[in-house]
């Protein structure tokens, strides 16, 4: 069982304490290049695309299309975006799309998700010369997507499957762990993170029948993936891509498409409306889109961590950086690097939110400590939510601790400011309220017979007026005490000079003045104690809030991990069952 360790620094003295950053979905008017495949053969993530992804705080469903060049991939992706134009099509025989292009649109079904469409460079272009990047493009599409659409022309025959050798090379181009145990079964790990698989067969001209009986497109695909018994080299060659597809992509679907239009219209396909297209093609495209929208899941990392647009951008960068430095992208390392980048960002976001909101909501000086504490708790709760929602895999709670320490410092600064502002406000109110008393003192009116009584009466009247004046803040009694202490010498000399009083009366008045000074001292202490008590309660409340949010997050993480476990288990069972069936004579 995992032990929950909660780091929280207890504060020592008075010094001590709109999820706006979770941005909504993003709709791009047109696609842009995410990963450039340069002429020098270097892959490079485009900063502009990263900037766009950075702004997407929503979870993403990532659909990537891969396949041979000039097979209508870009056209199909445009259909998913609900547009005729977008990803550029080419009407010539030369390949069009280069690198990996991205189009982020609001998900048409999952309202709080963004649909990220990735259109990739066609594989197998002989003109390109260097085929090395084909494998990387294929691997990146697998690594970044939650649904992979493999697009091909004609039929799913042995030729088509042999051309899909990229899938057999995936294990050479993707590492699960930084230090691989040689006996460990990688395919389970692949199941965790690999996308679901859709094979789209274009210009399909056959009839979906098997032994005279109609079959579905899925059955057509599964029949094509049947393994041959035996162990000869030829059988192994035959079985290899089929086994890989079965093992890595147990969730498979197949769609066949008729030719969209007559030859003369094909060159202007992107200008044609549905009415100009073959109705069966239009229907097939609709069914394909419905399937993608309803079944493509949001992209997750190991442990069921949901990927946002921001994370997706970082993920692309981490993988491409690894490839560029001649390393094999490693799933484990990617998650660790991603967590570091993301968690550091989450701390900054949470701190920024706290600072900005406190600046906006606190009117200095607050009337009471209670008022300031309440605002602090509301904002602190929001900031904690940002931190906890935006961070993941902070296993040693390094980032949470960092945030809590900053929060302590920020709140301490706010408390100091509130005290300072209160002092200033009190001084100004005292100056205004006690001005008539100061005038009388200046004129010497109280130095007379009966002057002491008049002084005391005036003083009490002004004290009452001061106490009922709002806007003084947390230092009201302290500031008053300071003022009254300053007047003590005047009060004594007025008392001494008042000839109307007998010695006994003077004694009584002196005792009374002492008692009043003591009462003021008591008020000041109470004011300070109340503030400290409130601050202690603040700490307790903060601690409880943090614990509660953390526990909730751990519960959610646990649920996500359990869901992932169930999904992987189901997928593994499916693979095993299909393998058993496939090898049956
Ligand atoms: N025969 C046929 N042509 C299509 C189909 N869909 C699109 N096209 C046409 O085929 C040409 C290439 O389409 P694209 O969508 O650019 O193909 P692509 O696979 O993205 O091509 P690359 O980016 O070069 O790999 C264009 O003229 C399209 O209009 C289809 O289903 N069948
Ligand atoms: Mg294309």
């Amino acid at each position: 069982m995992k032990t929950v360790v909660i780091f929280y620094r207890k504060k020592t003295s008075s010094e001590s304490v709109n999820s706006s950053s979770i941005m909504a979905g993003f709709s791009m008017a047109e696609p842009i290049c995410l990963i450039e495949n340069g002429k020098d053969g270097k892959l490079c993530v485009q900063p502009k695309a990263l900037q766009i992804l950075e702004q997407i705080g929503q979870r993403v469903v990532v659909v990537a299309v891969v396949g041979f060049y000039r097979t209508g991939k870009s056209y199909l992706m445009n259909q998913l975006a609900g547009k005729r134009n977008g990803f550029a099509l080419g009407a010539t025989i030369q390949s069009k799309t280069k690198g990996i292009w991205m189009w982020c649109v609001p998900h048409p079904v999952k309202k709080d998700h963004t649909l990220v469409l990735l259109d990739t460079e066609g594989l197998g272009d002989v003109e390109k010369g260097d085929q090395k990047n084909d494998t990387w493009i294929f691997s990146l599409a697998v690594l970044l997507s939650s649904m992979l659409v493999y697009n091909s022309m004609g039929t799913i025959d042995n030729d088509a499957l042999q051309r899909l050798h990229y899938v057999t090379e995936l294990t050479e181009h993707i590492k699960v762990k930084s230090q691989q145990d040689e006996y460990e079964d990688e395919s389970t790990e692949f199941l965790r993170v690999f996308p679901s698989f859709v094979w789209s067969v274009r210009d399909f001209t056959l009839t979906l029948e098997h032994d005279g009986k109609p079959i579905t497109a899925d059955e057509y695909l599964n029949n094509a993936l049947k393994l041959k018994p035996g162990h000869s080299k030829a059988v192994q060659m035959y079985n290899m891509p089929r086994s890989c597809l079965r093992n890595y992509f147990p969730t498979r679907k197949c769609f066949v498409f008729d030719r969209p239009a007559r030859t003369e219209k094909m060159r202007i396909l992107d200008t044609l409306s549905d009415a100009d297209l073959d109705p069966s093609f239009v229907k097939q495209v609709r069914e394909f889109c419905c399937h993608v929208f309803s079944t493509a899941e949001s992209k997750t990392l190991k442990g069921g961590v949901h990927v946002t647009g921001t994370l997706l951008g970082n993920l692309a960068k981490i993988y491409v950086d690894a490839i560029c430095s001649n390393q094999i992208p490693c799933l484990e390392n990617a998650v660790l690097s991603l967590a570091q980048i993301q968690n550091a960002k989450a701390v900054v976001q949470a701190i920024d939110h706290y600072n900005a909101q406190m600046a906006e909501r606190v009117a200095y000086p607050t009337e009471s400590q209670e008022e300031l504490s309440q605002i602090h708790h509301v904002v602190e709760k929001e900031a904690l939510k940002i931190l906890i929602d935006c961070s993941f895999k902070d296993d040693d709670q390094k980032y949470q601790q960092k945030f809590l320490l900053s929060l302590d410092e920020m709140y301490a600064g706010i408390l100091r400011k509130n005290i300072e502002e209160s002092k200033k406000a009190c001084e100004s109110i005292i100056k205004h309220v006690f001005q008539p008393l100061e005038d009388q003192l200046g004129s010497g009116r109280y130095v007379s017979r009966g002057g002491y009584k008049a002084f005391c009466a005036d003083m009490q009247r002004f004290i009452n007026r001061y106490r009922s004046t709002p806007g003084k803040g947390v230092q009201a009694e302290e500031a008053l005490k300071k003022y009254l202490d300053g007047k003590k010498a005047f009060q004594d000399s007025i008392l001494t000079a008042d000839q109307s009083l007998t010695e006994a009366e003077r004694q009584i008045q002196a005792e009374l003045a002492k008692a009043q000074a003591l009462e003021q001292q008591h008020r000041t202490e109470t004011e300070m104690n109340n503030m400290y008590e409130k601050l202690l309660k603040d700490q307790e409340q903060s601690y409880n809030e943090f614990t509660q949010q953390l526990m909730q997050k751990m519960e959610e993480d646990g649920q996500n991990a359990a869901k992932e476990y169930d999904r992987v288990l189901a997928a593994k069972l499916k693979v095993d069952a299909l393998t058993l069936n496939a090898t049956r004579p």
Side-chain angles (χ1 to χ4, degrees):
M1 211 174 107
K2 199 169 175 187
T3 328
V4 186
V5 186
I6 294 160
F7 291 105
Y8 193 86
R9 183 168 78 84
K10 285 266 177 191
K11 293 157 215 118
T12 47
S13 66
S14 67
E15 196 202 47
S16 46
V17 209
N18 84 37
S19 305
S20 58
S21 53
I22 315 264
M23 292 191 63
F26 196 95
S27 189
M28 294 164 64
E30 55 183 13
I32 62 166
C33 182
L34 170 65
I35 300 171
E36 190 186 62
N37 187 6
K39 285 215 164 64
D40 52 358
K42 252 199 161 299
L43 297 173
C44 175
V45 183
Q46 297 299 291
K48 213 171 149 202
L50 285 182
Q51 271 170 22
I52 288 174
L53 287 172
E54 175 75 39
Q55 294 174 61
I56 302 175
Q58 282 190 331
R59 292 174 182 183
V60 287
V61 172
V62 190
V63 181
V65 68
V66 286
F68 281 79
Y69 73 112
R70 318 310 295 133
T71 51
K73 297 184 296 300
S74 301
Y75 180 81
L76 195 61
M77 284 286 111
N78 287 342
Q79 300 297 314
L80 283 175
K83 301 274 165 56
R84 269 186 245 157
N85 299 299
F87 291 114
L89 315 184
T92 71
I93 52 159
Q94 281 184 310
S95 64
K96 182 76 183 172
T97 311
K98 301 285 172 211
I100 298 181
W101 283 64
M102 162 188 102
W103 199 354
C104 303
V105 292
H107 196 289
V109 177
K110 296 181 179 170
K111 287 297 166 219
D112 50 351
H113 286 62
T114 295
L115 177 63
V116 181
L117 300 170
L118 297 181
D119 185 19
T120 63
E121 176 168 331
L123 307 168
D125 177 7
V126 276
E127 258 185 34
K128 204 160 53 174
D130 180 11
Q131 302 294 308
K132 192 179 68 185
N133 275 352
D134 277 1
T135 325
W136 286 129
I137 299 274
F138 187 85
S139 305
L140 282 168
V142 169
L143 286 169
L144 296 175
S145 66
S146 52
M147 178 177 269
L148 184 75
V149 179
Y150 179 69
N151 189 70
S152 75
M153 277 280 176
T155 52
I156 305 180
D157 51 15
N158 192 40
D159 244 19
L161 277 154
Q162 293 304 330
R163 291 178 93 192
L164 190 44
H165 58 89
Y166 304 98
V167 81
T168 65
E169 292 159 16
L170 276 176
T171 46
E172 290 159 39
H173 290 90
I174 297 173
K175 251 198 321 184
V176 170
K177 289 189 175 159
S178 51
Q179 283 184 334
Q180 193 68 40
D181 179 345
E182 75 179 286
Y183 300 108
E184 215 167 345
D185 178 15
E186 274 195 325
S187 61
T188 311
E189 289 299 319
F190 284 164
L191 284 179
R192 254 186 236 282
V193 288
F194 275 14
S196 55
F197 185 87
V198 174
W199 194 319
S200 56
V201 190
R202 314 290 285 275
D203 291 3
F204 185 74
T205 47
L206 305 175
T207 309
L208 281 175
E209 260 183 21
H210 189 71
D211 293 339
K213 285 192 198 128
I215 54 166
T216 63
D218 293 340
E219 286 165 336
Y220 171 61
L221 172 62
N222 280 335
N223 286 344
L225 296 186
K226 280 221 159 113
L227 305 181
K228 270 189 185 170
H231 300 285
S232 69
K233 189 128 184 77
V235 168
Q236 278 182 22
M237 284 279 286
Y238 180 91
N239 284 347
M240 183 74 134
R242 290 167 173 83
S243 301
C244 289
L245 265 181
R246 288 167 163 281
N247 289 341
Y248 304 152
F249 304 102
T251 313
R252 296 182 298 267
K253 186 88 191 147
C254 179
F255 285 90
V256 295
F257 297 84
D258 288 353
R259 211 174 141 78
R262 297 227 304 276
T263 308
E264 67 272 17
K265 288 187 179 171
M266 291 303 284
R267 266 178 237 110
I268 50 158
L269 208 54
D270 52 342
T271 64
L272 300 183
S273 67
D274 283 359
D276 299 319
L277 297 168
D278 183 326
S280 53
F281 176 79
V282 174
K283 185 167 170 270
Q284 287 154 345
V285 168
R286 204 167 293 146
E287 282 166 5
F288 165 79
C289 290
C290 273
H291 172 77
V292 172
F293 298 151
S294 59
T295 64
E297 306 221 15
S298 64
K299 171 85 183 151
T300 51
L301 300 172
K302 189 180 172 190
V305 175
H306 289 279
V307 174
T308 59
T310 317
L311 283 183
L312 184 69
N314 289 330
L315 201 58
K317 193 153 166 30
I318 289 167
Y319 286 141
V320 170
D321 283 351
I323 295 169
C324 289
S325 47
N326 293 325
Q327 286 165 12
I328 298 172
C330 169
L331 298 172
E332 187 183 51
N333 287 351
V335 172
L336 290 178
S337 312
L338 208 54
Q340 278 177 12
I341 298 171
Q342 183 60 21
N343 294 348
K345 240 184 236 171
V347 171
V348 173
Q349 273 181 342
I351 289 176
D352 285 354
H353 179 85
Y354 181 84
N355 272 331
Q357 287 304 307
M358 288 302 277
E360 196 178 309
R361 297 188 206 182
V362 178
Y364 293 101
T366 58
E367 208 56 67
S368 63
Q369 182 53 46
E370 173 75 26
E371 189 187 322
L372 181 60
S373 297
Q374 268 179 13
I375 303 172
H376 163 71
H377 287 309
V378 172
V379 178
E380 174 190 55
K381 192 173 172 175
E382 292 168 0
L384 272 175
K385 185 159 168 34
I386 291 172
L387 176 84
I388 287 183
D389 282 355
C390 297
S391 60
F392 68 97
K393 263 200 151 302
D394 186 11
D395 293 341
D396 51 4
Q397 293 180 311
K398 192 173 118 194
Y399 294 92
Q400 284 159 9
Q401 221 187 345
K402 202 169 161 196
F403 170 71
L404 290 174
L405 286 174
S406 303
L407 190 68
D408 277 3
E409 279 166 22
M410 290 185 290
Y411 190 38
I414 286 168
L415 289 172
R416 276 196 298 272
K417 182 167 176 190
N418 201 36
I419 289 174
E420 283 313 308
E421 292 297 323
S422 168
K423 275 185 189 160
K424 278 191 222 159
C426 291
E427 275 166 22
S428 154
I429 293 170
I430 284 172
K431 197 160 182 259
H432 176 72
V433 168
F434 289 89
Q435 190 56 51
L437 185 100
E438 293 291 333
D439 292 344
Q440 298 285 35
L441 282 172
S443 69
R445 187 177 90 68
Y446 296 126
V447 188
S448 60
R449 284 180 73 82
Y452 186 72
K453 246 189 178 167
F455 171 79
C456 288
D458 284 352
M459 182 61 108
Q460 193 53 54
R461 196 155 47 86
F462 294 129
I463 288 175
N464 292 345
R465 190 177 297 168
Y466 169 77
R467 288 207 172 113
S468 62
T469 306
K472 299 187 296 295
V474 293
Q475 290 284 293
E477 294 299 333
E478 173 75 36
L480 180 61
K481 180 178 175 303
K482 201 172 148 202
Y483 177 74
L484 295 180
D485 286 351
K487 292 288 157 272
K488 174 96 177 52
F490 286 102
Q491 186 169 4
D492 288 349
S493 54
I494 292 168
L495 181 62
T496 315
D498 192 340
Q499 297 302 313
S500 70
L501 299 171
T502 64
E503 197 48 42
E505 281 170 336
R506 202 167 281 133
Q507 286 273 328
I508 291 169
Q509 288 301 327
E511 286 304 317
L512 213 61
K514 248 191 219 160
Q516 278 167 350
L518 269 176
E519 197 215 318
Q520 183 57 40
Q521 171 75 23
H522 179 67
R523 277 176 182 264
T524 310
E525 282 167 7
T526 308
E527 181 181 70
M528 200 156 37
N529 289 341
N530 284 346
M531 188 164 90
Y532 285 151
E533 266 172 36
K534 192 75 211 69
L535 291 177
L536 278 177
K537 280 209 181 111
D538 282 354
Q539 287 182 3
E540 203 179 308
Q541 205 172 333
S542 299
Y543 177 80
N544 291 341
E545 181 61 46
F546 175 65
T547 314
Q548 196 191 330
Q549 286 206 28
L550 195 60
M551 297 300 257
Q552 203 177 327
K553 165 87 166 172
M554 289 177 86
E555 206 173 296
E556 278 168 22
D557 286 353
Q559 281 167 2
N560 284 340
K563 257 193 224 156
E564 190 204 30
Y565 178 81
D566 289 347
R567 190 173 58 80
V568 173
L569 191 68
K572 217 169 156 33
L573 289 174
K574 202 167 162 188
V575 171
D576 293 347
L578 286 170
T579 311
L580 209 69
N581 270 340
T583 46
R584 259 188 203 142

